Amino acid sequence: MPPFTVIFVSPSPGRTHIRLYVFENYTWDKTSDDFSNYNGKPIPVRVPLTALLSGRVAGDPFPPSVDALPVVVPEFFYEVCPNPTIIDSTEINGGLSEPSAATTIQAWIDKLEKIENRCVEIKESIGTSKRLLDIWPSLVTSPILTHFSWSLLVTAALAANAPIIHPTLSNATPSDFAPSSAPTPLSGLLALHIRRGDYREHSHSRGNAPPEELARYRARCFPEIDQIVSRVRDVRASLLPMTTLRRVYVLTNEDARRQGMDEWEHIGTSRRDLRLAREWRHNCQVVDMAIAQRSEVFLGNGFSSLTSNVVMLRAAQGMDWNKTRFW
């Protein structure tokens, strides 16, 4: 799961309670080893946050117009906080029964207000990203989100691959992706998120669901080639009065076939076409997210956290909701 769902939600209680928030590097597995295993392949356990992100999440100062506290790194926290109060998240979350995000946040605010120690360390996370609807208005306008951007490594990869993705990206910089700057959509580009790999199994795991329900589920979680082609044509046709889509970029973790897509001027795929230098390769999913964020139209997988984060970024920058679709 990409780390950004957790990162965006977490600062809300920190701002409400006037505490600095600590952002750690992206950590896949809390182990002392440098590498972990995913689907039989070695992956780095930790990736520096600044290799993925820039902006306020990665420590850049907020502009004077934004009333928000800076974020800090763990090294600073442990230097000034040798004896923090440690809270086990189950102490608060365990007493809540299927709470909404606002209920969870308020419970944490109530707890923090009773702690006199200026330094607090929370074991594990504050909560999950479920039931976010009641904090959506504050989340989508949070300075952590509106002043978010991708790293220089990511935008360098985008610029180097502009002919494959969209010519506009040839001079891409991190500021071009900050929602507060209202970035211009990549005209004529349709980004498709086609998740494969472990989703092949997920799409069958519906217990004793009737065949017709399973078929509907698979069409949205793991669409077949003919379903993809049909859905893409329907979306393209429905938007013809307002835009003409000419280019396709496919976000996928599997080699993509171009069957039934001959009518497009250009098709690029993350797995087959992107040329990533060594320092960019661990950022490949983030590169995909940046492209989908700026694409004029996005067709995503509603079961994927990657898609959900792309949708959140598109909403934060005011993209037309009619141009964000699902399988």
Side-chain angles (χ1 to χ4, degrees), residues 22-23 55 107 116 119 122 149 208 214 222 236 240 259 314:
V22 179
F23 284 105
E116 295 184 1
C119 301
I122 300 169
S149 191
N208 297 319
L214 182 60
F222 200 89
R236 191 186 198 189
L240 270 177
Q259 178 181 332
R314 290 172 66 86

Side-chain angles (χ1 to χ4, degrees), residues 185-230:
L186 301 175
S187 177
L189 178 64
L190 168 63
L192 311 175
H193 183 200
I194 303 176
R195 175 68 183 267
R196 289 313 198 222
D198 55 345
Y199 270 40
R200 192 179 304 275
E201 296 179 12
H202 297 333
S203 64
H204 287 285
S205 58
R206 296 293 290 174
N208 297 319
E212 60 274 13
E213 180 181 333
L214 182 60
R216 287 195 299 270
Y217 177 78
R218 281 182 57 82
R220 288 158 178 78
C221 175
F222 200 89
E224 301 296 341
I225 295 295
D226 60 332
Q227 294 171 322
I228 292 171
V229 172
S230 175

Side-chain angles (χ1 to χ4, degrees), residues 231-252:
R231 179 66 174 144
V232 166
R233 286 175 175 164
D234 288 347
V235 169
R236 191 186 198 189
S238 71
L239 293 171
L240 270 177
M242 62 181 77
T243 189
T244 300
L245 298 173
R246 299 182 175 88
R247 304 174 68 96
V248 172
Y249 180 79
V250 182
L251 300 70
T252 186

Side-chain angles (χ1 to χ4, degrees), residues 30-46:
K30 291 189 175 181
T31 175
S32 59
D33 296 333
D34 291 331
F35 291 89
S36 185
N37 184 287
Y38 182 71
N39 282 348
K41 297 180 180 179
I43 60 171
V45 169
R46 287 166 291 276

Side-chain angles (χ1 to χ4, degrees), residues 242-278:
M242 62 181 77
T243 189
T244 300
L245 298 173
R246 299 182 175 88
R247 304 174 68 96
V248 172
Y249 180 79
V250 182
L251 300 70
T252 186
N253 57 338
E254 189 172 83
D255 288 336
R257 290 178 286 167
R258 299 175 183 181
Q259 178 181 332
M261 302 283 280
D262 297 334
E263 68 267 30
W264 295 85
E265 290 182 9
H266 187 276
I267 299 175
T269 70
S270 54
R271 189 67 175 264
R272 177 178 294 181
D273 300 309
L274 280 190
R275 297 295 178 261
L276 299 178
R278 181 178 181 181

